[in-house]
Amino acid sequence: ENEMLKHIPGYLPLGFFVFIVYGSLLPFEYRQVSMENAWSHFVNIPYLELDIVSRADWIANILIYIPLSFFSLAWLVPKIKSVFFKIAAICTILLGCSATAMAIEFCQIFISPRTVSLNDIIAEMIGISLGLVFWLAFGRQFLGYCADILDGGTRAMGSALVLYGLFYLALCLFPFDFIVSVSDLTWKLSSGQYALIVLPSAFDRPLYSLMSLGIEVLLAVPLGILILINGGHSSGRLFKLLLVGGFIGILIEGVQLFLASGVSQGISVFTRVMGVGLGGIVFFVLQSGKLSRLRPYSWYLVLAGALPYVWVLLSVNDFFSQAWIGYEEAVLKLERNMFLPFYYHYFSTETQAVLSLLYNMALYAPIGAACWILGHIKAGEKSICTASFAAVLAGGAACIVEVGKLGLTNKHPDFTNVMIAAAGAGLVFVSIEWGLRVLKRNAQTSMMSHDVQG
């Protein structure tokens, strides 16, 4: 257990703590309230009757506190050998997380336009408790999966499939605002958030809708790769994989019907089939070893894709569809712009905020892939194209795009996208690097095992 502990460093729960404090106090607009009135309001904190639209915000308060207590326990408890002190550590962490939640709720009284309610405190306590339950039930297994992934051994891909599968499922069901009554279901059926093939609203912004469908494809690609890697060498693997993709798509879109904010489309079943199928094709290409034959043409492949990529990047940001304004207006827009990270995410719904995050990560992910390709043109030689370089390059591209929005009539820059772009490109680079390293290591282990048996 001590060996697994090193994979949950102390900065992980600290990072979630900072995230919760920062996210809970956005947009940092001070509201003038005396300490006496603030305390009186907090002591008599009201319980609100939430409608179905507000349910997602309430559930979000549960979700953000689950990792705080879970990772705090994962960081501290395995260090302690005594059962008594383990119990004491668990109680201390629960009290600390609860005190954090209460302190943040009190501070929100001074933040406009934040509202403070008993509903939020109840949600936060539920989240903290669920973090404890998940730790007691799955904590050791989770640490084992993390150890396997970082070790990169024969069990790495199996552990990656479990963790990515859980992440993928959670992402598809976010924000977990399930229908709980007949009136909720009646409201959902009248909302028009479902279609046999595609929602009519998708044609209002066709390029954005295509990008959203593309994200669904990309998110399913790792599933296809990991399922095949862990599925043995049975015949008809690709066909079976497509069936699995279809099952996943039908299941998720069916469940989406019972989420208040869920959107169900028949085409999304196809995107998931396409994603896992594409993952299967990628796996077969990697397994065949033919990818190395493309190394002499890497520069040409990247250059050939650069121009279409730039066109898509500018198009989805409306550079070709919006009217341009003058220099003076652009300067005024810059002066009014808010530079706080995730400031504009606060004024959208939880689902829209997550979609925006994924959208921008996917938009700049090709830069990470291109940097990896260029960094491996010559085997065995060091290159400046590292994960850090990919992150800086993507961040620079995003910065140029966001500054360019100053000149567009109905657009405003959001420099949070610079950080998101850097994270997306760096994550893609690291993921490709890790995946190929593990595949190569497993292939070598398999050959050695075969030689020994021979």
Side-chain angles (χ1 to χ4, degrees), residues 307-334:
L307 190 58
Y309 171 73
V310 172
W311 179 85
V312 170
L313 181 62
L314 296 178
S315 295
V316 297
N317 283 287
D318 298 326
F319 275 74
F320 302 131
S321 59
Q322 294 271 336
W324 290 83
I325 61 177
Y327 175 78
E328 292 79 8
E329 291 179 83
V331 171
L332 288 174
K333 185 188 289 188
L334 179 63

PDB file of all heavy atoms in Angstrom, residues 307-334:
ATOM      1  N   LEU A 307      -3.070  23.746 -43.098  1.00  0.00           N
ATOM      2  CA  LEU A 307      -3.972  24.745 -43.674  1.00  0.00           C
ATOM      3  C   LEU A 307      -5.441  24.437 -43.383  1.00  0.00           C
ATOM      4  O   LEU A 307      -6.177  25.333 -42.940  1.00  0.00           O
ATOM      5  CB  LEU A 307      -3.728  24.838 -45.191  1.00  0.00           C
ATOM      6  CG  LEU A 307      -4.422  26.006 -45.904  1.00  0.00           C
ATOM      7  CD1 LEU A 307      -3.989  27.332 -45.307  1.00  0.00           C
ATOM      8  CD2 LEU A 307      -4.128  25.974 -47.400  1.00  0.00           C
ATOM      9  N   PRO A 308      -5.914  23.193 -43.598  1.00  0.00           N
ATOM     10  CA  PRO A 308      -7.309  22.891 -43.215  1.00  0.00           C
ATOM     11  C   PRO A 308      -7.564  23.103 -41.730  1.00  0.00           C
ATOM     12  O   PRO A 308      -8.644  23.572 -41.342  1.00  0.00           O
ATOM     13  CB  PRO A 308      -7.472  21.418 -43.598  1.00  0.00           C
ATOM     14  CG  PRO A 308      -6.427  21.163 -44.621  1.00  0.00           C
ATOM     15  CD  PRO A 308      -5.287  22.055 -44.264  1.00  0.00           C
ATOM     16  N   TYR A 309      -6.567  22.794 -40.889  1.00  0.00           N
ATOM     17  CA  TYR A 309      -6.737  22.978 -39.450  1.00  0.00           C
ATOM     18  C   TYR A 309      -6.912  24.455 -39.100  1.00  0.00           C
ATOM     19  O   TYR A 309      -7.787  24.818 -38.304  1.00  0.00           O
ATOM     20  CB  TYR A 309      -5.541  22.397 -38.695  1.00  0.00           C
ATOM     21  CG  TYR A 309      -5.552  22.756 -37.217  1.00  0.00           C
ATOM     22  CD1 TYR A 309      -6.466  22.154 -36.360  1.00  0.00           C
ATOM     23  CD2 TYR A 309      -4.673  23.714 -36.710  1.00  0.00           C
ATOM     24  CE1 TYR A 309      -6.500  22.498 -35.015  1.00  0.00           C
ATOM     25  CE2 TYR A 309      -4.696  24.054 -35.366  1.00  0.00           C
ATOM     26  CZ  TYR A 309      -5.611  23.439 -34.525  1.00  0.00           C
ATOM     27  OH  TYR A 309      -5.646  23.789 -33.197  1.00  0.00           O
ATOM     28  N   VAL A 310      -6.077  25.310 -39.679  1.00  0.00           N
ATOM     29  CA  VAL A 310      -6.190  26.755 -39.412  1.00  0.00           C
ATOM     30  C   VAL A 310      -7.545  27.273 -39.878  1.00  0.00           C
ATOM     31  O   VAL A 310      -8.180  28.100 -39.203  1.00  0.00           O
ATOM     32  CB  VAL A 310      -5.037  27.517 -40.095  1.00  0.00           C
ATOM     33  CG1 VAL A 310      -5.263  29.029 -39.999  1.00  0.00           C
ATOM     34  CG2 VAL A 310      -3.694  27.149 -39.461  1.00  0.00           C
ATOM     35  N   TRP A 311      -8.018  26.776 -41.019  1.00  0.00           N
ATOM     36  CA  TRP A 311      -9.329  27.206 -41.526  1.00  0.00           C
ATOM     37  C   TRP A 311     -10.443  26.817 -40.548  1.00  0.00           C
ATOM     38  O   TRP A 311     -11.325  27.626 -40.237  1.00  0.00           O
ATOM     39  CB  TRP A 311      -9.596  26.579 -42.895  1.00  0.00           C
ATOM     40  CG  TRP A 311     -10.945  26.972 -43.451  1.00  0.00           C
ATOM     41  CD1 TRP A 311     -11.257  28.092 -44.151  1.00  0.00           C
ATOM     42  CD2 TRP A 311     -12.167  26.227 -43.321  1.00  0.00           C
ATOM     43  NE1 TRP A 311     -12.597  28.113 -44.474  1.00  0.00           N
ATOM     44  CE2 TRP A 311     -13.186  26.972 -43.974  1.00  0.00           C
ATOM     45  CE3 TRP A 311     -12.500  25.014 -42.739  1.00  0.00           C
ATOM     46  CZ2 TRP A 311     -14.500  26.534 -44.036  1.00  0.00           C
ATOM     47  CZ3 TRP A 311     -13.811  24.576 -42.799  1.00  0.00           C
ATOM     48  CH2 TRP A 311     -14.798  25.333 -43.443  1.00  0.00           C
ATOM     49  N   VAL A 312     -10.385  25.577 -40.043  1.00  0.00           N
ATOM     50  CA  VAL A 312     -11.390  25.126 -39.068  1.00  0.00           C
ATOM     51  C   VAL A 312     -11.297  25.944 -37.787  1.00  0.00           C
ATOM     52  O   VAL A 312     -12.315  26.380 -37.223  1.00  0.00           O
ATOM     53  CB  VAL A 312     -11.211  23.625 -38.760  1.00  0.00           C
ATOM     54  CG1 VAL A 312     -12.085  23.213 -37.583  1.00  0.00           C
ATOM     55  CG2 VAL A 312     -11.532  22.795 -39.985  1.00  0.00           C
ATOM     56  N   LEU A 313     -10.076  26.175 -37.317  1.00  0.00           N
ATOM     57  CA  LEU A 313      -9.860  26.932 -36.091  1.00  0.00           C
ATOM     58  C   LEU A 313     -10.466  28.326 -36.183  1.00  0.00           C
ATOM     59  O   LEU A 313     -11.134  28.798 -35.254  1.00  0.00           O
ATOM     60  CB  LEU A 313      -8.351  27.026 -35.805  1.00  0.00           C
ATOM     61  CG  LEU A 313      -7.925  27.766 -34.531  1.00  0.00           C
ATOM     62  CD1 LEU A 313      -8.469  27.068 -33.299  1.00  0.00           C
ATOM     63  CD2 LEU A 313      -6.403  27.870 -34.462  1.00  0.00           C
ATOM     64  N   LEU A 314     -10.261  29.001 -37.307  1.00  0.00           N
ATOM     65  CA  LEU A 314     -10.801  30.344 -37.484  1.00  0.00           C
ATOM     66  C   LEU A 314     -12.307  30.316 -37.745  1.00  0.00           C
ATOM     67  O   LEU A 314     -13.046  31.187 -37.282  1.00  0.00           O
ATOM     68  CB  LEU A 314     -10.079  31.050 -38.630  1.00  0.00           C
ATOM     69  CG  LEU A 314      -8.581  31.305 -38.428  1.00  0.00           C
ATOM     70  CD1 LEU A 314      -7.978  31.967 -39.662  1.00  0.00           C
ATOM     71  CD2 LEU A 314      -8.330  32.160 -37.189  1.00  0.00           C
ATOM     72  N   SER A 315     -12.762  29.301 -38.451  1.00  0.00           N
ATOM     73  CA  SER A 315     -14.185  29.223 -38.793  1.00  0.00           C
ATOM     74  C   SER A 315     -15.053  29.002 -37.568  1.00  0.00           C
ATOM     75  O   SER A 315     -16.088  29.657 -37.389  1.00  0.00           O
ATOM     76  CB  SER A 315     -14.428  28.093 -39.796  1.00  0.00           C
ATOM     77  OG  SER A 315     -13.794  28.363 -41.023  1.00  0.00           O
ATOM     78  N   VAL A 316     -14.653  28.073 -36.704  1.00  0.00           N
ATOM     79  CA  VAL A 316     -15.473  27.794 -35.527  1.00  0.00           C
ATOM     80  C   VAL A 316     -15.449  28.951 -34.543  1.00  0.00           C
ATOM     81  O   VAL A 316     -16.317  29.052 -33.676  1.00  0.00           O
ATOM     82  CB  VAL A 316     -15.024  26.494 -34.827  1.00  0.00           C
ATOM     83  CG1 VAL A 316     -15.202  25.305 -35.740  1.00  0.00           C
ATOM     84  CG2 VAL A 316     -13.595  26.594 -34.347  1.00  0.00           C
ATOM     85  N   ASN A 317     -14.480  29.821 -34.668  1.00  0.00           N
ATOM     86  CA  ASN A 317     -14.445  31.028 -33.841  1.00  0.00           C
ATOM     87  C   ASN A 317     -15.065  32.230 -34.556  1.00  0.00           C
ATOM     88  O   ASN A 317     -14.880  33.374 -34.126  1.00  0.00           O
ATOM     89  CB  ASN A 317     -13.009  31.343 -33.421  1.00  0.00           C
ATOM     90  CG  ASN A 317     -12.535  30.440 -32.295  1.00  0.00           C
ATOM     91  OD1 ASN A 317     -12.951  30.577 -31.159  1.00  0.00           O
ATOM     92  ND2 ASN A 317     -11.658  29.482 -32.628  1.00  0.00           N
ATOM     93  N   ASP A 318     -15.768  31.971 -35.682  1.00  0.00           N
ATOM     94  CA  ASP A 318     -16.566  32.972 -36.407  1.00  0.00           C
ATOM     95  C   ASP A 318     -15.731  34.081 -37.060  1.00  0.00           C
ATOM     96  O   ASP A 318     -16.235  35.190 -37.274  1.00  0.00           O
ATOM     97  CB  ASP A 318     -17.616  33.612 -35.478  1.00  0.00           C
ATOM     98  CG  ASP A 318     -18.605  32.591 -34.960  1.00  0.00           C
ATOM     99  OD1 ASP A 318     -18.913  31.645 -35.706  1.00  0.00           O
ATOM    100  OD2 ASP A 318     -19.084  32.737 -33.820  1.00  0.00           O
ATOM    101  N   PHE A 319     -14.487  33.797 -37.401  1.00  0.00           N
ATOM    102  CA  PHE A 319     -13.663  34.827 -38.041  1.00  0.00           C
ATOM    103  C   PHE A 319     -14.126  35.134 -39.461  1.00  0.00           C
ATOM    104  O   PHE A 319     -13.836  36.211 -39.985  1.00  0.00           O
ATOM    105  CB  PHE A 319     -12.192  34.385 -38.064  1.00  0.00           C
ATOM    106  CG  PHE A 319     -11.453  34.709 -36.804  1.00  0.00           C
ATOM    107  CD1 PHE A 319     -11.670  33.977 -35.649  1.00  0.00           C
ATOM    108  CD2 PHE A 319     -10.550  35.763 -36.756  1.00  0.00           C
ATOM    109  CE1 PHE A 319     -10.990  34.275 -34.475  1.00  0.00           C
ATOM    110  CE2 PHE A 319      -9.871  36.076 -35.593  1.00  0.00           C
ATOM    111  CZ  PHE A 319     -10.092  35.329 -34.444  1.00  0.00           C
ATOM    112  N   PHE A 320     -14.830  34.194 -40.082  1.00  0.00           N
ATOM    113  CA  PHE A 320     -15.276  34.419 -41.450  1.00  0.00           C
ATOM    114  C   PHE A 320     -16.759  34.778 -41.548  1.00  0.00           C
ATOM    115  O   PHE A 320     -17.254  35.060 -42.639  1.00  0.00           O
ATOM    116  CB  PHE A 320     -15.013  33.158 -42.295  1.00  0.00           C
ATOM    117  CG  PHE A 320     -13.572  32.735 -42.310  1.00  0.00           C
ATOM    118  CD1 PHE A 320     -13.215  31.415 -42.064  1.00  0.00           C
ATOM    119  CD2 PHE A 320     -12.562  33.656 -42.568  1.00  0.00           C
ATOM    120  CE1 PHE A 320     -11.880  31.018 -42.070  1.00  0.00           C
ATOM    121  CE2 PHE A 320     -11.234  33.268 -42.586  1.00  0.00           C
ATOM    122  CZ  PHE A 320     -10.884  31.951 -42.334  1.00  0.00           C
ATOM    123  N   SER A 321     -17.456  34.775 -40.421  1.00  0.00           N
ATOM    124  CA  SER A 321     -18.897  35.045 -40.454  1.00  0.00           C
ATOM    125  C   SER A 321     -19.292  36.311 -39.703  1.00  0.00           C
ATOM    126  O   SER A 321     -20.421  36.771 -39.824  1.00  0.00           O
ATOM    127  CB  SER A 321     -19.670  33.854 -39.874  1.00  0.00           C
ATOM    128  OG  SER A 321     -19.261  33.595 -38.534  1.00  0.00           O
ATOM    129  N   GLN A 322     -18.384  36.872 -38.911  1.00  0.00           N
ATOM    130  CA  GLN A 322     -18.690  38.074 -38.132  1.00  0.00           C
ATOM    131  C   GLN A 322     -18.135  39.310 -38.828  1.00  0.00           C
ATOM    132  O   GLN A 322     -17.108  39.255 -39.520  1.00  0.00           O
ATOM    133  CB  GLN A 322     -18.070  37.959 -36.736  1.00  0.00           C
ATOM    134  CG  GLN A 322     -18.677  36.868 -35.891  1.00  0.00           C
ATOM    135  CD  GLN A 322     -19.870  37.352 -35.101  1.00  0.00           C
ATOM    136  OE1 GLN A 322     -20.006  38.529 -34.822  1.00  0.00           O
ATOM    137  NE2 GLN A 322     -20.757  36.434 -34.753  1.00  0.00           N
ATOM    138  N   ALA A 323     -18.827  40.426 -38.629  1.00  0.00           N
ATOM    139  CA  ALA A 323     -18.331  41.716 -39.148  1.00  0.00           C
ATOM    140  C   ALA A 323     -17.187  42.210 -38.260  1.00  0.00           C
ATOM    141  O   ALA A 323     -17.146  41.929 -37.059  1.00  0.00           O
ATOM    142  CB  ALA A 323     -19.459  42.738 -39.178  1.00  0.00           C
ATOM    143  N   TRP A 324     -16.286  42.967 -38.856  1.00  0.00           N
ATOM    144  CA  TRP A 324     -15.125  43.485 -38.127  1.00  0.00           C
ATOM    145  C   TRP A 324     -15.388  44.915 -37.668  1.00  0.00           C
ATOM    146  O   TRP A 324     -16.090  45.674 -38.322  1.00  0.00           O
ATOM    147  CB  TRP A 324     -13.878  43.434 -39.005  1.00  0.00           C
ATOM    148  CG  TRP A 324     -13.412  42.033 -39.249  1.00  0.00           C
ATOM    149  CD1 TRP A 324     -13.879  41.163 -40.189  1.00  0.00           C
ATOM    150  CD2 TRP A 324     -12.405  41.340 -38.524  1.00  0.00           C
ATOM    151  NE1 TRP A 324     -13.227  39.960 -40.104  1.00  0.00           N
ATOM    152  CE2 TRP A 324     -12.310  40.027 -39.083  1.00  0.00           C
ATOM    153  CE3 TRP A 324     -11.566  41.658 -37.463  1.00  0.00           C
ATOM    154  CZ2 TRP A 324     -11.425  39.076 -38.613  1.00  0.00           C
ATOM    155  CZ3 TRP A 324     -10.682  40.706 -36.995  1.00  0.00           C
ATOM    156  CH2 TRP A 324     -10.607  39.435 -37.566  1.00  0.00           C
ATOM    157  N   ILE A 325     -14.821  45.264 -36.517  1.00  0.00           N
ATOM    158  CA  ILE A 325     -14.992  46.605 -35.958  1.00  0.00           C
ATOM    159  C   ILE A 325     -13.668  47.355 -36.015  1.00  0.00           C
ATOM    160  O   ILE A 325     -12.616  46.763 -36.305  1.00  0.00           O
ATOM    161  CB  ILE A 325     -15.492  46.543 -34.497  1.00  0.00           C
ATOM    162  CG1 ILE A 325     -14.475  45.797 -33.610  1.00  0.00           C
ATOM    163  CG2 ILE A 325     -16.868  45.870 -34.437  1.00  0.00           C
ATOM    164  CD1 ILE A 325     -14.864  45.764 -32.143  1.00  0.00           C
ATOM    165  N   GLY A 326     -13.715  48.663 -35.712  1.00  0.00           N
ATOM    166  CA  GLY A 326     -12.521  49.494 -35.774  1.00  0.00           C
ATOM    167  C   GLY A 326     -11.613  49.333 -34.574  1.00  0.00           C
ATOM    168  O   GLY A 326     -11.956  48.689 -33.581  1.00  0.00           O
ATOM    169  N   TYR A 327     -10.449  49.950 -34.661  1.00  0.00           N
ATOM    170  CA  TYR A 327      -9.431  49.841 -33.619  1.00  0.00           C
ATOM    171  C   TYR A 327      -9.928  50.383 -32.286  1.00  0.00           C
ATOM    172  O   TYR A 327      -9.717  49.780 -31.230  1.00  0.00           O
ATOM    173  CB  TYR A 327      -8.167  50.578 -34.058  1.00  0.00           C
ATOM    174  CG  TYR A 327      -7.096  50.635 -32.991  1.00  0.00           C
ATOM    175  CD1 TYR A 327      -6.299  49.517 -32.742  1.00  0.00           C
ATOM    176  CD2 TYR A 327      -6.886  51.803 -32.250  1.00  0.00           C
ATOM    177  CE1 TYR A 327      -5.308  49.571 -31.755  1.00  0.00           C
ATOM    178  CE2 TYR A 327      -5.908  51.856 -31.267  1.00  0.00           C
ATOM    179  CZ  TYR A 327      -5.119  50.731 -31.026  1.00  0.00           C
ATOM    180  OH  TYR A 327      -4.163  50.790 -30.058  1.00  0.00           O
ATOM    181  N   GLU A 328     -10.600  51.558 -32.304  1.00  0.00           N
ATOM    182  CA  GLU A 328     -11.064  52.189 -31.068  1.00  0.00           C
ATOM    183  C   GLU A 328     -12.067  51.300 -30.344  1.00  0.00           C
ATOM    184  O   GLU A 328     -12.012  51.143 -29.118  1.00  0.00           O
ATOM    185  CB  GLU A 328     -11.691  53.560 -31.361  1.00  0.00           C
ATOM    186  CG  GLU A 328     -10.707  54.619 -31.833  1.00  0.00           C
ATOM    187  CD  GLU A 328     -10.364  54.458 -33.316  1.00  0.00           C
ATOM    188  OE1 GLU A 328     -11.019  53.613 -33.993  1.00  0.00           O
ATOM    189  OE2 GLU A 328      -9.437  55.148 -33.794  1.00  0.00           O
ATOM    190  N   GLU A 329     -12.993  50.722 -31.102  1.00  0.00           N
ATOM    191  CA  GLU A 329     -13.983  49.825 -30.492  1.00  0.00           C
ATOM    192  C   GLU A 329     -13.311  48.581 -29.910  1.00  0.00           C
ATOM    193  O   GLU A 329     -13.717  48.086 -28.842  1.00  0.00           O
ATOM    194  CB  GLU A 329     -15.028  49.414 -31.524  1.00  0.00           C
ATOM    195  CG  GLU A 329     -15.950  50.532 -31.975  1.00  0.00           C
ATOM    196  CD  GLU A 329     -16.943  50.027 -33.015  1.00  0.00           C
ATOM    197  OE1 GLU A 329     -17.967  49.445 -32.606  1.00  0.00           O
ATOM    198  OE2 GLU A 329     -16.670  50.211 -34.222  1.00  0.00           O
ATOM    199  N   ALA A 330     -12.307  48.104 -30.591  1.00  0.00           N
ATOM    200  CA  ALA A 330     -11.589  46.918 -30.105  1.00  0.00           C
ATOM    201  C   ALA A 330     -10.876  47.221 -28.784  1.00  0.00           C
ATOM    202  O   ALA A 330     -10.873  46.394 -27.862  1.00  0.00           O
ATOM    203  CB  ALA A 330     -10.593  46.441 -31.149  1.00  0.00           C
ATOM    204  N   VAL A 331     -10.298  48.405 -28.673  1.00  0.00           N
ATOM    205  CA  VAL A 331      -9.620  48.804 -27.440  1.00  0.00           C
ATOM    206  C   VAL A 331     -10.617  48.915 -26.289  1.00  0.00           C
ATOM    207  O   VAL A 331     -10.358  48.476 -25.160  1.00  0.00           O
ATOM    208  CB  VAL A 331      -8.869  50.137 -27.638  1.00  0.00           C
ATOM    209  CG1 VAL A 331      -8.343  50.664 -26.300  1.00  0.00           C
ATOM    210  CG2 VAL A 331      -7.726  49.960 -28.626  1.00  0.00           C
ATOM    211  N   LEU A 332     -11.794  49.501 -26.568  1.00  0.00           N
ATOM    212  CA  LEU A 332     -12.835  49.602 -25.543  1.00  0.00           C
ATOM    213  C   LEU A 332     -13.297  48.214 -25.094  1.00  0.00           C
ATOM    214  O   LEU A 332     -13.534  47.975 -23.908  1.00  0.00           O
ATOM    215  CB  LEU A 332     -14.029  50.408 -26.072  1.00  0.00           C
ATOM    216  CG  LEU A 332     -13.820  51.919 -26.237  1.00  0.00           C
ATOM    217  CD1 LEU A 332     -15.034  52.548 -26.909  1.00  0.00           C
ATOM    218  CD2 LEU A 332     -13.569  52.569 -24.874  1.00  0.00           C
ATOM    219  N   LYS A 333     -13.414  47.307 -26.044  1.00  0.00           N
ATOM    220  CA  LYS A 333     -13.814  45.940 -25.716  1.00  0.00           C
ATOM    221  C   LYS A 333     -12.771  45.283 -24.820  1.00  0.00           C
ATOM    222  O   LYS A 333     -13.106  44.560 -23.872  1.00  0.00           O
ATOM    223  CB  LYS A 333     -14.014  45.123 -26.990  1.00  0.00           C
ATOM    224  CG  LYS A 333     -14.563  43.721 -26.735  1.00  0.00           C
ATOM    225  CD  LYS A 333     -14.559  42.873 -27.994  1.00  0.00           C
ATOM    226  CE  LYS A 333     -15.605  43.330 -28.987  1.00  0.00           C
ATOM    227  NZ  LYS A 333     -15.730  42.380 -30.128  1.00  0.00           N
ATOM    228  N   LEU A 334     -11.495  45.527 -25.123  1.00  0.00           N
ATOM    229  CA  LEU A 334     -10.418  44.965 -24.310  1.00  0.00           C
ATOM    230  C   LEU A 334     -10.470  45.504 -22.886  1.00  0.00           C
ATOM    231  O   LEU A 334     -10.254  44.762 -21.920  1.00  0.00           O
ATOM    232  CB  LEU A 334      -9.065  45.281 -24.947  1.00  0.00           C
ATOM    233  CG  LEU A 334      -7.828  44.781 -24.197  1.00  0.00           C
ATOM    234  CD1 LEU A 334      -7.831  43.251 -24.116  1.00  0.00           C
ATOM    235  CD2 LEU A 334      -6.548  45.272 -24.887  1.00  0.00           C
TER     236      LEU A 334
END
